[in-house]
């Protein structure tokens, strides 16, 4: 690397740390991408300045969310929407309701979303939002009161051609319904302003399944490239939300064996693998009853529950982290490798720390990074937007075929980008490069805005 290029990169990094010294999640996400893009910057230094613009969001919205609980007590939460990039289309990305949500978390998610949406090849910019509100243990009326207050501020910043939010952690069909209803009430129009909607009023088939199904399709493509398949592979799945549930379901469809689910209390293991009926019961426990994963043991005589532990200690072939960011650290990664795992495919957003990723690479483990492997969710959100624009609803088969093709294209494009820059089959670097170049070239074409 030339001295001038190294100096420019160092200057951008130093500027980021001066500006946002306490935003550790955001800085972690930027550092991971920065490393991958070094060959691009060496070949064409003009992209360094474009990257410097890209890492500063176009708009950051922080607002108060007051609401009244069932006891008549006032509560106050903080709401966020980070509109990261509109270079490729309207801002697009989910809403997360969780006590850990802060500006750093939302910025990292919006930054990752920029590359993910670019990789889908659909016309979508990138954004992310949410609140430190925790819906667990809340009544439906309390969740509705919060969602209505949240949307009362958010609605002025979004629109079908401006910013189209979706769901994320703790924002499912119930929350999307309350949010959409309040938007419609305030804006006085019925438009595709949110994705993940109910099928009866503008939703898309396959949307709940999309992130999990897409992650498995991505793994299928990676294994095929290596001359292998999913058939018979023993798989670790973390989490019990939509991503985990439908990852496990698609693994069964393709002949693999999902062994685990987890939540913040611990993990459950089915030594011979989960059946579809058992996954259906997990869905009922989590989506309807909203209870801990340990409750599953009352349903299955063969299940084992490990409180306070992660599933990475179980011997297996593949891992699908599908819970939350940084759930696999360096030590977890070493345990995975020692237990025979030779492929990690990220269903959650940034579930592996940078140190864990180095362990994967050192052991030649196949690695499907989140921005590529879990892009299926936003891809089908984009297809939902297209259906809303047409006032049509496509069949399940049509959407699934499109999803499968998009995930294959993402893998192929990531691999091609890696090979173009002499990085062999480094899919992580390839995904970052392919996603970045499309956004960066569009930003350059549109001027310094």
């Amino acid at each position: 690397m030339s001295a001038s290029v190294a100096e420019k990169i160092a200057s951008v990094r130093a500027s980021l740390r001066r500006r946002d010294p306490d935003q550790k999640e955001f800085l972690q996400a930027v550092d991971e991408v920065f490393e991958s893009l070094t060959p691009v910057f060496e070949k064409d230094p003009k992209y360094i300045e474009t990257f410097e613009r890209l890492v500063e969001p176009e708009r950051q919205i922080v607002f108060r969310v007051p609401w009244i609980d069932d006891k008549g007590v006032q509560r106050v939460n903080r709401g966020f929407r980070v509109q990261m990039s509109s270079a490729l289309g309207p801002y697009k990305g989910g809403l997360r309701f969780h006590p850990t949500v802060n500006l750093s978390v939302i910025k990292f998610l919006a930054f990752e979303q920029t590359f993910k949406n670019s990789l889908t090849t659909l016309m979508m910019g990138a954004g992310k939002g949410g609140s430190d509100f925790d819906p667990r243990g809340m009544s439906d009326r309390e969740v509705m009161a919060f969602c209505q207050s949240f949307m009362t501020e958010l609605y002025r910043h979004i629109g079908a051609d401006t910013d189209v939010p979706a769901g994320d952690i703790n924002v499912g069909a119930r929350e999307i319904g309350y949010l959409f209803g309040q938007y419609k009430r305030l804006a006085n129009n019925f438009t595709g302003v949110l994705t993940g909607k109910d099928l009866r009023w503008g939703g898309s088939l396959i949307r709940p399944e999309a992130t999990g199904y897409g992650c498995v399709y991505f793994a299928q493509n990676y294994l095929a490239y290596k001359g292998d398949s999913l058939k018979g592979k023993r798989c670790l799945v973390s989490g019990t939300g939509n991503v985990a549930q439908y990852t496990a379901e698609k693994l069964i469809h393709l002949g693999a064996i999902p062994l685990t689910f987890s939540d913040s209390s611990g993990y459950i293991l089915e030594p011979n693998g989960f059946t579809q009926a058992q996954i259906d019961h997990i869905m009922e426990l989590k989506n309807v009853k909203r209870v801990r994963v340990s409750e599953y043991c009352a349903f299955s005589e063969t299940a084992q529950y490990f409180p306070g532990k992660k599933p990475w200690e179980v011997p297996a072939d593949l891992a699908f982290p599908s819970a939350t960011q940084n759930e696999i650290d360096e030590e977890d990664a070493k345990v995975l490798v020692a237990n025979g795992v030779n492929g990690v495919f990220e269903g959650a957003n940034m579930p592996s720390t940078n140190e864990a990723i180095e362990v994967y690479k050192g052991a030649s483990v196949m690695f499907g990074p989140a921005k590529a492997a879990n892009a299926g969710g936003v891809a089908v959100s984009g297809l939902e937007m297209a259906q809303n624009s047409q006032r049509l609803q496509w069949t399940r088969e049509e959407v699934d075929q499109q999803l499968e093709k998009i995930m294959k294209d993402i893998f192929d494009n990531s691999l091609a980008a890696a090979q173009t820059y002499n990085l062999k089959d480094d899919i992580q670097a390839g995904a970052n490069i392919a996603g970045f170049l499309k956004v960066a070239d569009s930003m350059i074409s549109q001027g310094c805005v």
Side-chain angles (χ1 to χ4, degrees):
M1 185 189 305
S2 70
S4 62
V5 169
E7 187 177 323
K8 286 179 182 178
I9 291 175
S11 174
V12 173
R13 280 188 143 147
S15 175
L16 275 170
R17 279 166 168 73
R18 279 196 307 271
R19 186 176 292 159
D20 302 312
D22 300 321
Q23 295 185 2
K24 61 181 182 178
E25 295 88 356
F26 174 61
L27 293 174
Q28 177 188 339
V30 173
D31 282 344
E32 183 263 321
V33 173
F34 229 141
E35 292 297 330
S36 299
L37 296 180
T38 299
V40 177
F41 298 148
E42 288 177 337
K43 185 176 180 180
D44 197 338
K46 74 180 182 186
Y47 287 120
I48 300 174
E49 291 182 354
T50 312
F51 187 80
E52 185 175 16
R53 263 197 294 149
L54 179 61
V55 296
E56 182 63 24
E58 293 180 11
R59 193 172 294 107
Q60 302 177 69
I61 303 155
V62 182
F63 54 96
R64 180 177 64 200
V65 189
W67 58 283
I68 306 297
D69 69 16
D70 285 345
K71 297 178 180 178
V73 176
Q74 174 189 278
R75 302 282 194 96
V76 180
N77 288 96
R78 182 172 289 174
F80 303 89
R81 187 65 178 174
V82 171
Q83 296 174 331
M84 198 80 196
S85 172
S86 59
L88 301 180
Y91 306 109
K92 184 79 191 82
L95 299 170
R96 174 178 295 192
F97 293 167
H98 196 273
T100 60
V101 165
N102 56 40
L103 187 56
S104 174
V105 168
I106 297 300
K107 280 179 68 177
F108 117 65
L109 291 168
F111 179 73
E112 290 277 296
Q113 197 80 41
T114 305
F115 298 84
K116 185 186 306 184
N117 292 4
S118 173
L119 286 167
T120 67
T121 73
L122 303 175
M123 292 178 62
M124 296 184 291
K128 206 76 178 185
S131 174
D132 57 2
F133 172 73
D134 187 354
R136 289 177 298 182
M138 300 285 182
S139 70
D140 286 348
R141 194 213 67 81
E142 288 174 318
V143 173
M144 181 176 69
F146 172 82
C147 288
Q148 289 178 341
S149 182
F150 183 87
M151 183 55 78
T152 297
E153 174 58 34
L154 185 65
Y155 93 98
R156 68 190 79 238
H157 305 291
I158 63 176
D161 297 316
T162 304
D163 184 349
V164 183
D168 194 86
I169 292 174
N170 288 334
V171 179
R174 174 182 61 170
E175 290 76 17
I176 291 293
Y178 294 150
L179 291 164
F180 183 82
Q182 184 70 352
Y183 177 87
K184 181 164 59 74
R185 179 188 193 186
L186 293 168
N188 194 32
N189 63 39
F190 191 109
T191 185
V193 71
L194 291 162
T195 56
K197 300 185 294 297
D198 188 285
L199 288 172
R200 293 167 294 188
W201 36 273
S204 174
L205 291 157
I206 304 288
R207 178 60 191 93
E209 298 94 330
T211 306
Y213 278 19
C215 190
V216 177
Y217 287 144
F218 188 90
Q220 181 183 40
N221 280 287
Y222 205 146
L223 285 160
Y225 166 71
K226 293 288 189 180
D228 203 349
S229 76
L230 283 164
K231 191 169 180 61
K233 295 290 187 296
R234 294 171 64 82
C235 303
L236 307 179
V237 179
S238 67
T240 41
N242 268 3
V243 180
Q245 293 166 13
Y246 290 111
T247 293
E249 181 172 275
K250 183 54 69 173
L251 286 170
I252 289 176
H253 292 173
L254 297 179
I257 305 166
L259 299 173
T260 62
F261 284 101
S262 70
D263 61 19
S264 56
S265 68
Y267 77 89
I268 50 171
L269 167 69
E270 280 286 3
N272 297 317
F274 283 86
T275 64
Q276 183 63 57
Q278 290 168 331
I279 292 174
D280 291 343
H281 189 69
I282 290 285
M283 291 179 178
E284 182 184 359
L285 291 176
K286 283 300 189 178
N287 303 345
V288 180
K289 296 182 178 178
R290 304 181 192 276
V291 296
R292 291 293 188 186
V293 72
S294 56
E295 298 292 323
Y296 171 82
C297 292
F299 171 79
S300 170
E301 294 181 357
T302 55
Q304 300 170 30
Y305 173 59
F306 298 86
K309 292 190 173 183
K310 302 177 184 179
W312 316 130
E313 62 187 11
V314 179
D317 302 304
L318 304 173
F320 292 82
S322 307
T324 191
Q325 70 264 17
N326 292 331
E327 59 176 296
I328 301 180
D329 60 21
E330 183 177 7
E331 292 307 310
D332 295 325
K334 289 177 179 176
V335 171
L336 280 170
V337 171
N339 281 334
V341 168
N342 66 359
V344 177
F345 302 95
E346 297 186 327
N349 289 304
M350 201 172 74
S352 305
T353 65
N354 290 342
E355 293 78 13
I357 293 169
E358 290 306 311
V359 173
Y360 305 154
K361 290 185 174 181
S364 298
V365 168
M366 291 178 289
F367 177 49
K371 61 178 63 68
N374 82 4
V378 75
V380 174
S381 279
L383 299 180
E384 182 175 330
M385 292 165 67
Q387 292 170 77
N388 290 168
S389 295
Q390 295 175 318
R391 299 292 194 270
L392 295 174
Q393 189 173 77
W394 302 343
T395 67
R396 182 180 180 88
E397 291 72 25
E398 285 178 299
V399 178
D400 199 20
Q401 286 171 8
Q402 291 251 29
L403 172 62
E404 191 168 2
K405 180 181 183 303
I406 287 170
M407 298 313 297
K408 183 179 189 308
D409 289 345
I410 290 173
F411 177 80
D412 291 345
N413 292 341
S414 299
L415 179 61
Q419 293 175 341
T420 296
Y421 284 87
N422 299 315
L423 298 170
K424 298 181 180 179
D425 58 0
D426 186 339
I427 298 299
Q428 179 196 16
N432 286 335
I433 291 168
F436 170 72
L437 287 175
K438 183 179 178 183
V439 177
D441 288 336
S442 300
M443 291 174 68
I444 291 168
S445 296
Q446 294 166 19
C448 186
V449 295

